[in-house]
Amino acid sequence: MERLQLRKMLEAFYLEDIGSGDCTSEVIFDGQHGRAVIHSKSNGIFAGGQIIKEGFRLLNPDIQVHLRKQDGETVSQGDYIASMEGPVAALLTGERVVLNLIQRMSGIATMTARAVECLNDPHIRICDTRKTTPGIRMLEKYAVRTGGGFNHRQGLYDGIMIKDNHIAACGSITKAVERARSAAGHMMNIEVEIETEEQLHEAIAASPDIIMFDNCSPDTVRRFAALTPKHIVTEASGGITMNTLPAYQGTGVHYISLGFLTHSVQSLDISMDITDSEEE
Amino acid sequence: MERLQLRKMLEAFYLEDIGSGDCTSEVIFDGQHGRAVIHSKSNGIFAGGQIIKEGFRLLNPDIQVHLRKQDGETVSQGDYIASMEGPVAALLTGERVVLNLIQRMSGIATMTARAVECLNDPHIRICDTRKTTPGIRMLEKYAVRTGGGFNHRQGLYDGIMIKDNHIAACGSITKAVERARSAAGHMMNIEVEIETEEQLHEAIAASPDIIMFDNCSPDTVRRFAALTPKHIVTEASGGITMNTLPAYQGTGVHYISLGFLTHSVQSLDISMDITDSEEE
Amino acid sequence: MERLQLRKMLEAFYLEDIGSGDCTSEVIFDGQHGRAVIHSKSNGIFAGGQIIKEGFRLLNPDIQVHLRKQDGETVSQGDYIASMEGPVAALLTGERVVLNLIQRMSGIATMTARAVECLNDPHIRICDTRKTTPGIRMLEKYAVRTGGGFNHRQGLYDGIMIKDNHIAACGSITKAVERARSAAGHMMNIEVEIETEEQLHEAIAASPDIIMFDNCSPDTVRRFAALTPKHIVTEASGGITMNTLPAYQGTGVHYISLGFLTHSVQSLDISMDITDSEEE
Amino acid sequence: MERLQLRKMLEAFYLEDIGSGDCTSEVIFDGQHGRAVIHSKSNGIFAGGQIIKEGFRLLNPDIQVHLRKQDGETVSQGDYIASMEGPVAALLTGERVVLNLIQRMSGIATMTARAVECLNDPHIRICDTRKTTPGIRMLEKYAVRTGGGFNHRQGLYDGIMIKDNHIAACGSITKAVERARSAAGHMMNIEVEIETEEQLHEAIAASPDIIMFDNCSPDTVRRFAALTPKHIVTEASGGITMNTLPAYQGTGVHYISLGFLTHSVQSLDISMDITDSEEE
Amino acid sequence: MERLQLRKMLEAFYLEDIGSGDCTSEVIFDGQHGRAVIHSKSNGIFAGGQIIKEGFRLLNPDIQVHLRKQDGETVSQGDYIASMEGPVAALLTGERVVLNLIQRMSGIATMTARAVECLNDPHIRICDTRKTTPGIRMLEKYAVRTGGGFNHRQGLYDGIMIKDNHIAACGSITKAVERARSAAGHMMNIEVEIETEEQLHEAIAASPDIIMFDNCSPDTVRRFAALTPKHIVTEASGGITMNTLPAYQGTGVHYISLGFLTHSVQSLDISMDITDSEEE
Amino acid sequence: MERLQLRKMLEAFYLEDIGSGDCTSEVIFDGQHGRAVIHSKSNGIFAGGQIIKEGFRLLNPDIQVHLRKQDGETVSQGDYIASMEGPVAALLTGERVVLNLIQRMSGIATMTARAVECLNDPHIRICDTRKTTPGIRMLEKYAVRTGGGFNHRQGLYDGIMIKDNHIAACGSITKAVERARSAAGHMMNIEVEIETEEQLHEAIAASPDIIMFDNCSPDTVRRFAALTPKHIVTEASGGITMNTLPAYQGTGVHYISLGFLTHSVQSLDISMDITDSEEE
């Protein structure tokens, strides 16, 4: 993740939460230093070490952060993730923004890892979608990678994706792919979304870089994947849940994209405590 | 919600998703106009009409938006939420950002309404926390209100909340409330978090505006609420889930704050289709 | 005051004043270091130490700032407030923005302290209003606190204030308070502005958190305060000047809000000198 | 004044005051339209028509603004300055920011006009300084022009001003002006600040575009102005008050710059009322 | 090009040029309306119609813009490109920013078209690089497309490009491509830069999506292209000028990227005149 | 150049190029440190040392930058300009933005120096125009100064320039200058553009600070310069190229402004290499 971009985001998030000032800390404390630990209250995959480091340092450069867990590591209930030392007021002021982010990111990483495990097929990659929370896509896509998933395109600007609505409005898959091919440079891939075998054949003839099988059953995905020439990458998407995922094992598709990884996140429970003890 | 602030947020979200341009729409379409509908694919409470209106108009002032559902209304699978007319390219360019927001907001409103129903006590108000997604707190807190909930403080700037960490670092509840009282004006409320009966008595003596019972069982909440003088507002928080919520019915506490309303949202399934038909 | 927010503001203020560059310093100096002192040229209450510290360091991290006066301390003509060492060019480039801010803030703190003294009633608190200079409210409200005053609400977002215009447009105090009460959470206070005794009785019945007596003479304020039940906070506002303030002593009202503290500020005269001498 | 810059500033000021929303208006009103008038409660020179126009339209494009007074016109107590029609909620939401700005700007215009009148010398121009409120210099300098004054440089970027501190650090007036002259293009003027006759002679020999007589009595100003060659513009500055201004009449200096025009502003009392009557 | 992003850029550019106001127009004009034409003073390919439309409307919504030339059309000396009607002051205020942009964009489009013509090979596409002017890459890449060229990646975020420095630091092409392949999703292409035949063979074995022949003579490019398997896209880059371009005709490479298209632009001479005549 | 402004610009330029992250460096490297050198591949005048220093430090504060050439120094092909040590990934991530800027700035400085040399008249100063690249005017004008040129006004805000279009719309030079003079303060200069001798006489009578001879031959410039009184600065502009420049030698005009210095820049060829060797 880009540090400049991350700091810009953190700054905006702090301003949202702190506004003109943390009136509690300002009133209660008078500069005393202290120590705090961040620890997990459940099991999962941790993501967000950079958030903790940059987050507290941005708020107050005097805060020292020591990470105990790296991104992608498993955490169990009670595990220490990080410890920080510095002005107590600043530690408490920063707590909520940092936790909100790493809880969400770790939740995504955990879910992604679970999906990979659930599918249990080394030849199929789990990937994300554009169904991310507006404003923090960079963080959410990073968390997907941390959990062992892959990223689909970043946004509308870095990949051509011809969906049912585009095809309907344009007239045909053939015409849409042709227009795309005549405009796209060599770093830009073209993906076509199909639902029926007829569409699949039309798509194959048009020769995009990727064909996506939308809302298809595992059997259909297996059949469509077999019909598709080797040089075209295949993707299954739409309506696939953690429950139906195992059935896609061995279908031969290259990618399965899952919207729920980012649009319906279960935060990982992580909390922060001010602590005196040296032992932990 | 503030329109200027909302437009500023929408602009940032579009820039995140669209970047230098929607390369698919730019290539496929040549200015043709069309019609699109937004409809629900599941049951819940809708929130986000202003997002649809401002969102599409911001992208292209020529898009006409007609809302079929108002914020707070129940939607069932298949219900039309809105219809839009204008340039097809712009409709498809804006689709994802608008859906990402209203799906999340409607998910929060639906969850909040479910919590209110689940608790089923007209004398206890459900409220949110600061465990919101960084960058869109205004939208998430609005969605909580839409679902029948209430807002806790907006951020660190508009309410004094003395938690366990503050008390530990400050020395005592008494001292912390005194410092807060001597600094806070009349528009600023002071809340103290307590866990034990001993703390409750100390808190009552210090006379804050609100006392929050942290991680207490329904029985403890009932007892603590009864012990607290009338002029102090009470709140229960910490570890309360949709499952344990009904047990808090009749406890006499004034507010129950629920972090999961915003930190672990199940998006409401809503989608957009380009449509020719006039009927719907 | 929030450091991140303060730095953001200072950066904007420097860009306003410096633009593409301080063409005088750039031309005259060639990297030489020097020493400067900030001293008061009149008597008053100092406010703005953080401005000096963050301000010069933001411009050039090599500048060392040593504060001689803390916020809230009395300064007399000739008193040293701070000394700085570093590149002369940067010291002179930053001078004006820093002085413009601390002169204004100290002016507000001085005026507030004078009002507190003038009123001379330990049971009545002096507070500010929203009549602040757009863009620097955080600084002005901080200066009021520094001078011994209290802050009214920060803005339209953190307190409900039902004024004559609202009442007129809504129909009645009763209806307006009811609507507010049914929407506001427990961290949000409701204040009603009244002018007549009839309104006072209606307001008391509606039971807001605060009642404000608008444009009332000291005698009326005394009478209205006596009529108001204990659990409702009272505030006098409107047309009160430094001259009429003493007459409000002993009226029993809890707060007196004064617009002139921030809308008609007399800057405290403070200046900066480049100095060679070690003595001062 | 630049409209784009003005809108950007107004947007920032609204966000400061409104934040996540005007919780009073949102709760009380339900879309009703109404009419409001802005009128003066004291006598002075009005400045800020563009603020009213752009300000309300920015908040809500449905608000119609009708200006009754133009910038620079005299207003007397009771005079109508503007009337607006549109949603009552938006009118009340925008009220404070608009008033805070026009009260301050009209205060500056009034003070400037008073200074011009007080000096009463058509051959001497009153001008401002850089002692403006950070963040709103454009508005304050505009108000000075509206009141009949002139603008000194905008900031550090558009004029070279060699002050005592620069001279001290550089070694001599001669050297400082030489360096400036060798670097400055033809659109950039060079001003030198002097205090003594010896410095004046050195400055004249160095031939800057403007010589400023700092902290000089009227007699000294008269003598210095007479000594200065015609092609050099002269300016008096430092410690001149409304009281001492008349004594500078006829001194032959070209400009008198007054810091108090912008650093110690007495706001003009202006208010807004929701009104039903059609008459006014 | 994205309209929201474009408007944001135009706003920033206007603020850079106009600052606190166009002091010439403000002083000279008093609201009079007029007509202006933009016409070419040399021959080339026009690019930037959207700049003219959005640019003037952003400055003043009352300005009507009528485009006579579309992006990509040839313009000859004397040709009218656009005509505008509205307030003369605003037309003159906006002139320079609009011209600076369209002159540069048209210069790029013209140069690109010349390169395409010069190469004269329908099987080889001309494309750009990341050697664009910081801050306006979106506009420059658009201009390349307008002139008949193609875009390489937008930035560091939307394509993996393994250059000599990466290979040196990583150890080998093989290792670098492997790492990239194991991390990149299906919408992300991988390009490797090679200079020698040995590197070419290593690259082919590693199987990236694109191989770039850096600093190779036309003969080498022809040979390398012939050696590369069909499914790998090839690109020639480095040191190719308008003069050497024709020699690359028929080399069989797919893309030739040219840095000079954007880093050493010859602006197309375009100017604006206020005009009374109706004829043109 | 202003450091705060420069950092703000650099941050924006990095975000444009890096976006959500440099996916190549992230994938290839794992924290290894290295050394890079920036060296010139052609002959010219270097400009942009501050870009290298601030640029790399902004990206990663651990990067050490050592400048070998100062701004304004001559560089020959092969000369080292700077060396940097730090994380290889960050060095490569920052490379392009830094090079794009210093190549352009050095190109401008080189061209300016060439123009000065070409004109070869110590009594005539070469200056720039407002025909700069939108968004980086501060950098381009700095580069002109670095090459031995002077700056014309920064923008529309810091100088009054009455051009043909203004004169046409206003009625006459006399009227336009009068209006300008009556509004402009003493730090603001007034320039008038003329084309004919008749206009010259009218302009001289109006007595602006500067008269600009637009599109005049060397002979005309000589004649017009001789006709203009000494206290008015003269400038020649319009259609002057590197080829025609020598003919303006000895014409007696004070300034010659050249648009091509910034609108048609030939970048200086500068590149960066990762290096192991200690020798260079």
Side-chain angles (χ1 to χ4, degrees), chain B residues 145-160:
Chain B
R145 294 200 303 276
T146 302
F150 289 79
N151 293 151
H152 209 292
R153 60 177 174 168
Q154 300 287 327
L156 292 168
Y157 53 87
D158 69 329
I160 290 180

Side-chain angles (χ1 to χ4, degrees), chain F residues 25-67:
Chain F
S25 287
E26 278 173 14
V27 160
I28 306 283
F29 303 112
D30 40 10
Q32 69 198 90
H33 273 237
R35 195 157 171 286
V37 291
I38 289 179
H39 53 86
S40 184
K41 296 171 74 175
S42 51
N43 305 328
I45 304 293
F46 172 65
Q50 216 180 333
I51 304 292
I52 304 177
K53 282 227 155 173
E54 295 290 344
F56 282 109
R57 283 198 296 217
L58 180 64
L59 207 57
N60 190 319
D62 294 341
I63 297 177
Q64 298 298 320
V65 176
H66 178 56
L67 290 180

Side-chain angles (χ1 to χ4, degrees), chain E residues 28, chain F residues 160 162 167 170 172-182 189-194 197-211 227-229 231-232:
Chain E
I28 307 283
Chain F
I160 291 180
I162 300 166
I167 296 165
C170 177
S172 76
I173 289 174
T174 312
K175 206 195 286 182
V177 175
E178 249 167 38
R179 286 191 189 169
R181 193 59 85 195
S182 77
N189 283 331
I190 299 168
E191 177 164 5
V192 173
E193 182 182 302
I194 62 108
E197 188 167 336
E198 193 188 342
Q199 284 184 313
L200 175 62
H201 288 301
E202 189 185 350
I204 290 170
S207 198
D209 299 287
I210 301 121
I211 296 178
L227 288 170
T228 310
H231 68 275
I232 298 181

Side-chain angles (χ1 to χ4, degrees), chain D residues 3 35 47 75 80 90 123 130 140 169 223 241 254 262 269:
Chain D
R3 190 179 149 271
R35 195 157 172 285
V75 290
Y80 284 103
H123 303 299
R130 280 171 48 245
E140 296 190 339
R223 194 157 49 86
T241 66
H254 300 110
T262 52
D269 198 359

Side-chain angles (χ1 to χ4, degrees), chain B residues 79-135:
Chain B
D79 280 0
Y80 284 103
I81 289 171
S83 60
M84 290 82 58
E85 285 190 42
V88 172
L91 287 170
L92 288 172
T93 299
E95 173 188 3
R96 191 74 267 139
V97 166
V98 167
L99 288 182
N100 282 351
L101 289 170
I102 64 174
Q103 285 181 316
R104 182 171 187 84
M105 290 170 71
S106 299
I108 292 172
T110 301
M111 185 84 91
T112 306
R114 206 166 293 160
V116 169
E117 202 179 76
C118 202
L119 174 61
N120 193 22
D121 182 333
H123 304 301
I124 307 181
R125 287 172 160 186
I126 294 293
C127 74
D128 54 26
T129 65
R130 277 169 52 243
K131 297 181 179 177
T132 58
T133 313

Side-chain angles (χ1 to χ4, degrees), chain A residues 22-57:
Chain A
D22 173 356
C23 49
T24 311
S25 287
E26 279 173 12
V27 159
I28 307 283
F29 303 113
D30 40 9
Q32 68 199 89
H33 273 237
R35 194 158 172 286
V37 291
I38 289 179
H39 54 86
S40 184
K41 296 171 75 174
S42 50
N43 304 327
I45 304 295
F46 172 64
Q50 215 181 333
I51 304 292
I52 305 177
K53 282 228 155 171
E54 295 290 344
F56 282 109
R57 283 199 296 217

Side-chain angles (χ1 to χ4, degrees), chain B residues 7 52-61 63 65, chain E residues 3:
Chain B
R7 286 175 70 94
I52 305 177
K53 283 227 154 174
E54 294 289 346
F56 282 108
R57 285 198 295 217
L58 180 64
L59 207 57
N60 190 319
I63 296 177
V65 176
Chain E
R3 190 178 149 270

Side-chain angles (χ1 to χ4, degrees), chain B residues 224-265:
Chain B
F224 283 6
L227 287 169
T228 310
K230 284 244 160 106
H231 69 275
I232 298 181
V233 174
T234 55
E235 174 186 343
S237 189
I240 305 175
T241 66
M242 203 63 98
N243 290 332
T244 60
L245 202 48
Y248 288 85
Q249 196 194 40
T251 49
V253 76
H254 300 109
Y255 283 85
I256 293 178
S257 58
L258 302 171
F260 69 80
L261 294 183
T262 52
H263 75 55
S264 292
V265 179

